[in-house]
Amino acid sequence: TSPIAWLRTRFYYLLIRLYFDHEFSIEEFTRGAKQAFSVVSKLLSQRKLDLLEELVSAEVLQVLKEKISLLPDSHRDALAADIDAIMYTTEGDVRIYYDDDGRKFVSILMCFWYLNGANLPDEVPSEAKVFQIVFGDENTKEKKHLLTANYEFQREFTEGAKPDWTITRIEHPRLLE
């Protein structure tokens, strides 16, 4: 991350603490985002989309229903991210905005890098390479792919709104396209 982007996100975190949620902590948010990512990615992989209704926006859920039904099994398996297989997490973007009705929103884009042992072909869609990592010796080779995913979390901070974060964007590049 560039120093300017890092400073910008830290400034937004300060604004969130000052004006929206005095107890907001990016560390705590990141822990929750990792858990949500793991749960949602596994449900996507298992095609249990009806269980995502409370976690994912209706618009995203509709798009996912269309895309998941068209995925080959190997790509669907690669969506699943065990929480212990998440290698790196970072914030991609933070936004604070108001809609035309004066409702207040915060959205945070989280980027995840995770290991997955799905049997992906060497060439994945869009002819893009996925990093492959081999664990073990010659007799017990285990091939894992280092995959990325971007999930955007949104919360409404208008007085009286539910204090829940909702996933408003799900991207698994080279898998869910």
Side-chain angles (χ1 to χ4, degrees), residues 31-91:
R31 275 192 298 278
K34 286 170 83 170
Q35 289 176 343
F37 166 60
S38 180
V39 167
V40 169
S41 68
K42 287 177 185 176
L43 291 173
L44 285 174
S45 176
Q46 298 165 0
R47 295 184 185 174
K48 295 182 178 178
L49 302 179
D50 53 323
L51 299 176
L52 295 175
E53 289 181 12
E54 295 293 317
L55 303 170
V56 176
S57 71
E59 298 83 13
V60 170
L61 193 55
Q62 185 59 39
V63 170
L64 289 172
K65 286 178 180 178
E66 295 168 10
K67 288 184 176 185
I68 293 292
S69 66
L70 302 173
L71 282 182
D73 289 343
S74 62
H75 289 114
R76 198 172 35 80
D77 293 342
L79 296 175
D82 188 54
I83 197 158
D84 295 330
I86 300 171
M87 299 289 100
Y88 184 70
T89 304
T90 189
E91 314 88 40

Side-chain angles (χ1 to χ4, degrees), residues 18-143:
L18 290 174
Y19 295 106
F20 299 106
D21 182 357
H22 300 296
E23 297 176 13
F24 179 81
S25 156
I26 189 57
E27 293 80 14
E28 185 177 323
F29 176 84
T30 300
R31 275 192 298 278
K34 286 170 83 170
Q35 289 176 343
F37 166 60
S38 180
V39 167
V40 169
S41 68
K42 287 177 185 176
L43 291 173
L44 285 174
S45 176
Q46 298 165 0
R47 295 184 185 174
K48 295 182 178 178
L49 302 179
D50 53 323
L51 299 176
L52 295 175
E53 289 181 12
E54 295 293 317
L55 303 170
V56 176
S57 71
E59 298 83 13
V60 170
L61 193 55
Q62 185 59 39
V63 170
L64 289 172
K65 286 178 180 178
E66 295 168 10
K67 288 184 176 185
I68 293 292
S69 66
L70 302 173
L71 282 182
D73 289 343
S74 62
H75 289 114
R76 198 172 35 80
D77 293 342
L79 296 175
D82 188 54
I83 197 158
D84 295 330
I86 300 171
M87 299 289 100
Y88 184 70
T89 304
T90 189
E91 314 88 40
D93 191 24
V94 180
R95 294 184 302 136
I96 297 172
Y97 58 96
Y98 297 82
D99 70 4
D100 293 336
D101 297 326
R103 298 183 313 167
K104 302 178 258 186
F105 295 91
V106 170
S107 69
I108 301 174
L109 178 66
M110 297 297 292
C111 306
F112 303 96
W113 285 261
Y114 64 101
L115 289 175
N116 183 289
N119 188 19
L120 291 174
D122 289 338
E123 292 294 326
V124 292
S126 303
E127 299 174 10
K129 283 283 187 187
V130 175
F131 291 102
Q132 295 179 11
I133 302 165
V134 178
F135 295 97
D137 59 23
E138 287 297 318
N139 299 329
T140 60
K141 282 186 182 175
E142 181 182 4
K143 185 167 69 170

